[in-house]
Amino acid sequence: MLPTMMDTQLSVADLIEYAGSNYSAEEIVSRCVEGGIHRYTYQDCLRRTKKLANALTKLGAKQGQCIATLAWNTYRHIELYYAVTGIGAITHTINPRLFPEQITYIVNHAEDQIVFVDLSFVPILEKISDDLTSVAHFVVMTDRAHMPESQLNLLCYEELIEPESDSYDWPSHREDAPAALCYTSGTTGNPKGVLYTHRSTLLHAYAASQVLQASALNIILPVVPMFHVCAWGIPYMATMVGCKLVLPGAGMDGQSLYELIDNEQADLIVGVPTVWLNLLTYLRAAGEKLTSVKRTLVGGAAAPLSMIREFQEEHDVFLLHGWGMTEMSPLGTVNNMTSAMTKMPLEERYRVQMKQGKPVFGVELKIVDDNNHELPKDGKSFGRLMARGPWIASAYYKSEDKSSWVDGWFDTGDVATLSPDGMMQIVDRSKDVIKSGGEWISSIDLENTALGHDAVSEACVIGVPHPKWNERPLLLVTTHKPTTKESILTFLADKVAKWWLPDDVIFVDELPHNATGKLYKLDLRQQYQDHLQSSEQ
Amino acid sequence: MLPTMMDTQLSVADLIEYAGSNYSAEEIVSRCVEGGIHRYTYQDCLRRTKKLANALTKLGAKQGQCIATLAWNTYRHIELYYAVTGIGAITHTINPRLFPEQITYIVNHAEDQIVFVDLSFVPILEKISDDLTSVAHFVVMTDRAHMPESQLNLLCYEELIEPESDSYDWPSHREDAPAALCYTSGTTGNPKGVLYTHRSTLLHAYAASQVLQASALNIILPVVPMFHVCAWGIPYMATMVGCKLVLPGAGMDGQSLYELIDNEQADLIVGVPTVWLNLLTYLRAAGEKLTSVKRTLVGGAAAPLSMIREFQEEHDVFLLHGWGMTEMSPLGTVNNMTSAMTKMPLEERYRVQMKQGKPVFGVELKIVDDNNHELPKDGKSFGRLMARGPWIASAYYKSEDKSSWVDGWFDTGDVATLSPDGMMQIVDRSKDVIKSGGEWISSIDLENTALGHDAVSEACVIGVPHPKWNERPLLLVTTHKPTTKESILTFLADKVAKWWLPDDVIFVDELPHNATGKLYKLDLRQQYQDHLQSSEQ
């Protein structure tokens, strides 16, 4: 049959063309790394993006090459998103919080040709530059007046684009051409690259705008960094709907965020729980309220009940839980308000809000057992969470490792329940769930329950080998007043299933955490691997 | 480069699977053709759609074949949308308001294998059945109790699906496979078919949900018929967001609509101006108010200022102008509220609301002159409106006629202005615009201005040949009180440019209209073609 619909390919450059042409007066406001606030319009942004596209071409950037950024959320980073991908190259955003050796590995693995860097991160480049094998140019994202002293040969962003024409014709390409690259910060092994395409980026942007009901009336402040899964796709979504975008630069502390939110009247703020803990702490101390904000989208880790409550009751802000992964662009689920939730008492609604939400249209989810058999969506069975959809990776970049894919589904590494109405709740990470005699026990559930004991400050549950049950839970706690093992086990006894009760409780002075503040259980599992083999039967 | 993202193909069946699984308890409420109200959930709908898919297979339906509907907006029509397209066949919706000869032409041209028909439209089939060359089965969309007497061999919808299994695995296909077919009701020549694909339908649904900021909290009532450009895509969008859908069946009068809107608490109602005129007239007479409705999406024809005002001031309803075409799936532009509009006095905002709006992301618009040179987007220049995008037709179904496409752009047949911020305003239809000495005059603008004269009931402006200026405007009016040509020309003189003034005013008893109530200018142009050749110089 002959084609009857236009073969229009989805393309990232269309986004900035659209916003620059149709929402020409809407603003992008940035807190500058150099200090002060910068504001301009989408029309200005489009013009400078085209100048940058011409400058990139002059620097020798070619289609399919990677061009890296080490940068905060600012307008120059937005220009790079569109110019680099627009000319047919790949926007490779690097997380500056990685170890220098990891950044070196990533730059070399991606074969980055140019690295664009914010002033804050020039020292990182100075440290690793000798080990970089592919980079031809370093460009500092600032003007001449702020260029740093350096032993590196640094180019200046503003000098580079200033003489260029603001006219540029974006080359055409198929929509499965690569657009952006982001490496996961796995705790084991080298970081793995996820290469997004124009198609995956655009479909994800449509889906994101849909689940957020975003429009040109919104004023969105993404605190989630543009080096972290493309700031969850917010920059692409913002140009698609033409809304005002507010970018916090390096100002991630509570006071800086509050001032920016309040001055710019942001109504949707987006970030991880840690950032909001800082913000809420500041607001409490300063006696300030969020008056413009209506919703906060929270992902990356589960927001605690207390945060959901405080946002709602102190600031009239609805906390919208989301869940995703770097391999998923990242959007998997969003916990939007439903008609059922509108009728619930607040405390009951909060319990629903704690879940990760329903899949965004485009993402299919299922849970499976150890034999990859699908488990029922009954809200109780839990299994390994598998995902499928047009913005989910089918492989890592330049990698033969296919261990995370089974029959065309991506294994998220999470253990979850799915309810009959599609609601997903993360139970545990696959590597942390305890497999006791063929049944699974959630370490997170046990930890949260143990935290209810009035002497427990922090709780950590790990599975350790057991001669009869294969694996059994061990509870490690820090305490702030005297208590006993018996007291804690008695406390737990009527709150969890009998066979979930930890086989032992161990009192420790401190629990180990990783760089993002999460419990780091790998060493503990090794340290206690013989604990139940020897002490109990 | 190896693919890095999953090759997930967009598919219409995924929509009903998604709603049935994730918004299983949300409702579809229908006014039945047999009388009464029917309500069930998306879960019920999914089950019955799968039974229908099995029934269609048993009836011999094959991939790529057309299966027709002659039906109102009801739940059975929704089931057909998903089952027919889901099995890989093509949902061909037929407009029952076409002339019988046109319906015959359409059914034969599409080679429809099965025709599903509502009780109301069985007489149409009886009239034309002898001339249909491809149809194997007629199925009446009702239960056994309501089956009509007929000389035709009619199958019963409910009997057909009742014995079938509610389990069905949708076949996979590429996303450019055909999904649905709709014929334009052109005024000249045979109707032309537009064949939508799975891809165009899904991208359009994402875009529609985005521009409407639709969510599962919405309750949407599409009055626009499912036989008219798939009810502007609302049925696909509703399953994508999981919102309650309210379907008016054959109850298109003001009272029936009001009762359904009010009983079901619809907050978004969708339809053409004529329908809303009836609704508003009813509400005025009955002294009723719309309390649940927040927005009405209006397209198909321009809504008059008085309607925008009455919705806003009497019912607190924001009238959202949209513009599109059958060839565009249909969404081209939507006039959403912008931050600038929120700050305007109401009367000023109404003037902006009268425009057709900004392009939806995905649709590109430009205006061109007679030589296909692009004209500036300055809000003043007007030219032929051209469109491009992934849900815009590149050809008519089984047709060699490419006269509507120029360099990959679709010629909409409208004449429009585009402003620097992307706002589009229709000036006229290409065939109605008057080309006077190289400059264009809008017949619609002149008509609207003439309507301001207190004696004029209806006004019609046509271009007729002129020896010096090529074409000049002629104004035909009906009046409800005595007036003179001079009075009308004097009235117009300070409201339009001097060279826009009609060369003559002709008083007539009646003006001709087409089936949808629009002025029918073709005959008038012929009748008056010598008017200015002979009477003036």
Side-chain angles (χ1 to χ4, degrees), chain A residues 1-7, chain B residues 176 195 197 393-397 402:
Chain A
M1 192 173 290
L2 290 171
T4 52
M5 287 283 136
M6 291 186 184
D7 182 32
Chain B
D176 58 359
L195 185 65
T197 63
S394 58
Y396 290 115
Y397 185 49
K402 297 280 185 167

Side-chain angles (χ1 to χ4, degrees), chain A residues 343-496:
Chain A
K343 296 174 195 119
M344 290 176 187
L346 271 183
E347 285 297 325
E348 186 183 346
R349 198 192 80 189
Y350 295 155
R351 299 278 162 190
V352 179
Q353 278 179 260
M354 290 186 71
K355 303 182 182 195
Q356 276 63 43
K358 301 186 180 209
V360 175
F361 177 80
V363 172
E364 274 182 281
L365 297 178
K366 67 173 181 180
I367 48 173
V368 300
D369 65 17
D370 278 342
N371 300 313
N372 294 314
H373 291 138
E374 188 166 354
L375 293 167
K377 298 182 180 184
D378 56 12
K380 288 181 294 235
S381 307
F382 53 87
R384 275 161 44 232
L385 183 65
M386 314 290 286
R388 192 163 68 171
W391 52 83
I392 299 178
S394 59
Y396 289 113
Y397 185 49
K398 295 199 279 187
S399 162
E400 296 299 315
D401 176 8
K402 295 281 186 167
S403 58
S404 295
W405 288 269
V406 183
D407 300 334
W409 292 76
F410 172 67
D411 187 336
T412 65
D414 279 321
V415 171
T417 61
L418 288 169
S419 68
D421 65 349
M423 184 69 82
M424 190 273 280
Q425 182 161 28
I426 298 288
V427 172
D428 215 333
R429 289 293 294 167
S430 301
K431 61 182 179 355
D432 294 335
V433 76
I434 295 140
K435 297 179 179 177
S436 168
E439 301 284 344
W440 291 7
I441 297 171
S442 162
S443 67
I444 294 177
D445 272 6
L446 271 181
E447 287 160 7
N448 287 340
T449 310
L451 281 174
H453 188 284
D454 66 353
V456 173
S457 307
E458 193 173 16
C460 174
V461 171
I462 56 173
V464 295
H466 186 281
K468 181 171 177 195
W469 300 106
N470 187 35
E471 219 175 47
R472 287 294 300 160
L474 201 63
L475 171 60
L476 293 92
V477 293
T478 60
T479 55
H480 51 264
K481 64 180 190 185
T483 184
T484 61
K485 170 178 164 179
E486 288 66 34
S487 164
I488 292 175
L489 288 175
T490 307
F491 174 80
L492 292 176
D494 62 348
K495 295 175 185 69
V496 301

Side-chain angles (χ1 to χ4, degrees), chain B residues 224-252:
Chain B
V224 54
M226 290 172 67
F227 54 74
H228 181 70
V229 211
C230 305
W232 301 348
I234 298 290
Y236 302 118
M237 188 196 81
T239 46
M240 187 176 256
V241 302
C243 70
K244 177 173 167 182
L245 196 54
V246 186
L247 302 172
M252 311 289 267

Side-chain angles (χ1 to χ4, degrees), chain A residues 4 6 8 18 21-22 26 175 195 199 206 209-210 217 240 338-339 358-359 361 389 392-394 420-422, chain B residues 4 6 8 18 21-22 26 175 195 199 202 206 209-210 217 240 338-339 358-359 361 389 392-394 420-422:
Chain A
T4 52
M6 291 186 184
T8 307
Y18 177 77
S21 307
N22 297 295
E26 300 299 329
E175 66 190 36
L195 184 65
R199 173 181 167 91
Y206 270 126
S209 68
Q210 176 196 93
L217 290 182
M240 187 176 255
T338 61
S339 52
K358 301 186 180 209
F361 177 80
I392 299 178
S394 59
D421 65 349
Chain B
T4 52
M6 291 186 183
T8 306
Y18 177 78
S21 307
N22 297 295
E26 300 299 331
E175 66 189 34
L195 185 65
R199 173 180 166 92
L202 272 274
Y206 271 124
S209 68
Q210 176 195 93
L217 290 182
M240 187 176 256
T338 60
S339 51
K358 301 185 181 211
F361 178 80
I392 299 178
S394 58
D421 65 349

